[in-house]
Structure formats: C-alpha cells, structure tokens
Amino acid sequence: MSLKGFVPEVDHGCPPTADSESNRAVYTGVLEHSEFTTTRKELWSYYLYYVGNNGLSGFNFGPSQFQNLLFLAGYDPSEPPFTSPCTTNACVLPYLGKVRDINSIVLLTNGISFAIQAVLLLIVGAWADYGHWRPNITIFFTILAVAVSFAWLGVDQPEQWRASVVLYILGPNHDLFKCSLTFWTAAFPGLARDLPEVKRSYHEAITGHKTVLDHANLASLARNRICNISFAVCSVGEIIILALMVGILKGLDSDESVENNTRAFSVLIAFSGGLWLLCALPWFWLEQRRPGLTLPPGATLLTIGFKQAYVALQECSRLKQTFLYLIFYFLMGDVLNTTVTVIATLQNSIVAYSTLQLTLLLIVGIVAQALGIYTFWLVQKRYKLSTKTMLSFNVFWIMILTVWGLIGIHTDKFGFKHVWEIWLPELRNPQVFYGLLVCPWYAYSQTMISEVSPLPQMFLFFALFSVVGKTSAFIGPLVSSAIITAANGNDNMPFAFLFGLGLVSTGFLWAVDVEKSRSELDQFVLAEGSRHVFTAVETSPVELPASSK
C-alpha cells in the first residue's frame, strides 16, 4: 500500500554520485506521486484566506487596545496607588503578585500566551499529518478566533482590563490566530507540489528528460512563489481594509474623546474578525483534502503529537541541517518576536494610543510591506537566488532594528522615542523600513522550513518549528520584562539582549547547507519508511532512470 499526497523526491533531492547504488532509490522516494492538481481557484482561495487572517487584530489593534486599557486603569507609581492617573513616563498595575510597569505586563502576558501556544501545537500539531484532519483544524481555530474577535465588543472599559488579559491571550491576538495561521501556512508545500508546471517537471524527471536537481530547484521556486505572493496579496487586501477602517473611525469620532477612542479599538477588532471569516470561507470550500499518513498501531490522537515530537527531535541528530536551522529559527524568532513587542509598546505610548494615527501609520507601512515582499520575490526570480540567500539578506535588516533600539538606552534623541522614528523603522505596525526590508522574514523563514523538512511529515515539522518558535517567543518577553524591571523602567534595555542573541543566531543560519539537507532528508524518508516510526504502512521505492539523476 502506498500513501498518496506526498512526493519526497520532488521537493528534496540532489544528484547522487554515479557509483552510489545506495542512493539510486533515494530520488524516487517511498511514496507515490500526488493524484491532486492545484487549481487556480484553490490557489487564490488560499491567498484570500490570508487577507482575512492578516494580523490587524492579532498584531496591531488587539495589543494596542490591551495596552490602552492597562494605561487607563493604571496609576502613577510616584503617588499612592490609584490616586493619580498614569503619565507617559510612568504607569503601573498589580499583576501576578507584583506591581509592574504596564510594558512589563504586556511582555509577561505575551510569554504566558506563547507558552500556551507551544502546548497546543505540541498536542494538535501532529494531527495534520494523519487522515484528513488538517483542514478541520484550520476551520476550528479560525471560527473560534473570529468569535473572540466579536467578544472584544464587550470589553472597552478600563475596569475590564483583567478580561482583556484573557481575550488577549486566547483570542485572535495570539493563540487562536497563531494556531490557525500555522496550519494554513503548512498547506503551501502541497499546493506547490501539485501545481501543473511542477507535476510536468516531476514526470520529466522520472522519465529522464531532466535532472532531479533541476526539478528540485523548480519546486523550490514554486514554494517561494506561493509564499511570497500570498504575503503580497495579503498586503494589498490590508490596504483596502485599512481604508475602510479610516471611514469607521471617522464615523465613530474616535479622536473626540478617550471613551470614543477606546470603543473604536474594540470595533476595529470585531470588524477584522468579520472580514477574516468572509475571506476564509472560499478556502474552507475549495481546498482539496489531500490525505495524510495512517495512524500507527497503539497511538491515539492525544498521544501521537508527543510521540512524533520526541521522535522528530531524536531524528534531528541525523538531520543536521534541519537541526541547525531549528536553532537559528529558535533564536532569531526570539529576537524578532520580542523586538516586535518592545517597539510596539514604545510606539503605543508615543502616539498616545490613537486609533486613527495607528491606522494611518499602518496604511503607509503595509504599502511598503507589499512593495518589499514582491520586490524580494522579483529579485529572487530574476537572479534565481536561493531561499537561504534571501533570508540572510533579510536577517541583516532585522539586526539593524535592534541596533537602532540599542542606541536609545543612553540617549533620548534616537531609539524609537519620537513619532518621526515610528514612520520610518517601526516594527509591529510596519512602516517604510520594516515593510521593505524586514517583513519578508515571514515568507522566507517559512519557505526555509519546507526546504529542510521531510515532506511526508511536513505538517509535523511545521508544528515542531512553530512550537520552537513559541518557546522562544515566551522566553524572550519574559527575559525582557525582567530586564525592564531591573533597569528601573528603561524600556530600551532589552535591545542589548536582543542584539547579542541576533548575532549568535546568524552564525547558525550561515552554517546551514541546503544541498546537504536534501540528501539527509532523502535518506531520512527511506529509513523511516522501513522503520515505520511515523506510519503503519510499508511502501516500496521505485527506481528512477539513471539519466534523470
């Protein structure tokens, strides 16, 4: 019996040496070619889903509303508790047994949220590799996230800040948003593999009319194309959504009072949730349910995630390039996620939590984001650059952000402390610098996962990387929160930690060899096919013509 839907030899492979008989079957893989073909409607429904799950509620208005409610509920620590309102330089609240700066509270809550995500993805992540579960998982998390988006309509008063903590952790701002995004993202390698032009290339490779290396490079570009275009389409969609939001804010007179402004935040979150559901429906309907693996004997859906994660971590000793990238992804993910949060807290205080100004900033930033992502893709396509090359260039600009924040530790002239800085290198609400040069991280870091992961267990490895990313994402904010507290409220001090961590992580990226990874993955798939670690079925490799190698 063979398992349809996966073709490890298509996406991973480099020509074996002529005298290497042990490698001759590696490029055929142990699974049959997919019987599905990606249609244009299916592909565009995939892009449209991301227009809805765009992060406006998750990375912009939700966190801003959360911090806004903390600011309105907090008090000036120089006066007796709750006797004087917060100032832009001092604002605290009692939280988890200690009086904390509200920026520290945001970072600590982020850490808690990301820890919950890690556990969720560890349990649920493996389900996507079996049967037809993955689309159901995406649908479930999406609907739940949309429901929580609407729940924000009932949380718009300062005294409700504790309720906002729950919505912030569980809603579209973090856990549900990230879980749905993880399983949506993990679908793109299968979509790329089943594109008509990639299927034609596959048949040319197995009949000896082209080399497997040429086919592997074409498949890699196809994955990059889908990933980058999805981000570009999302950016264009966000611009339209933000234009509608400006009209909503005008109708709500958001700048007339603090009450109106706070209410407007919740309305925008709910509006984003409604559009998310609308954009998700075509993907729910048009996605072809590509079958996954068979559940191994003795395993259950509650235990398979832990078993697979344990086996995958064990096998990383054999997948050395995957392991190197896993370390890089852990460290650089920590740098970027924490930098996102730190700069966002600085920005929110600079613009005084104004919904209108935040929205206008977003419009400028997302225009730059669309241009940046699509320009990166055009350059890669034109010069046939590798995913690693594009990602390395992108990482350089992430480091520049940490350097800019580092400057602000000892001076008030620079370091995300002025409105003019927000319009240039701002991060969470991406402006010109971030949109053009940093935002492509979200495309290329995901594509790179597909370059160093075995296709039959692609969803597991995406979930594994996501768990690792969430682990780093809660460690970084917790460390940064402690740094801010120890530095007597200096919100720029975490950039020293982030800059050093970024330098270390870059070294691991440079050490990744994608060509070696393809060979390691092929050997891994053959070995696991015979050992039945991930599946209960046995498959037989098919010999490729020597001319195709």
Side-chain angles (χ1 to χ4, degrees), residues 40-113:
R40 186 174 181 83
K41 288 183 179 179
E42 182 185 22
L43 189 58
W44 276 94
S45 70
Y46 178 82
Y47 296 153
L48 184 61
Y49 179 92
Y50 199 31
V51 173
N53 190 0
N54 52 46
L56 287 176
S57 61
F59 287 108
N60 297 286
F61 296 115
S64 297
Q65 174 70 317
F66 177 49
Q67 193 176 348
N68 176 49
L69 291 174
L70 293 178
F71 181 83
L72 295 176
Y75 61 89
D76 187 338
S78 64
E79 302 292 336
F82 298 104
T83 59
S84 298
C86 291
T87 66
T88 55
N89 296 320
C91 187
V92 298
L93 274 171
Y95 187 68
L96 296 181
K98 186 176 181 179
V99 175
R100 306 175 189 271
D101 180 89
I102 63 168
N103 290 345
S104 178
I105 292 174
V106 172
L107 288 166
L108 185 57
T109 306
N110 274 349
I112 295 170
S113 175

Side-chain angles (χ1 to χ4, degrees), residues 453-469:
S453 298
L455 192 57
Q457 291 82 34
M458 186 64 72
F459 296 117
L460 165 67
F461 274 77
F462 262 92
L464 178 63
F465 272 86
S466 192
V467 168
V468 167

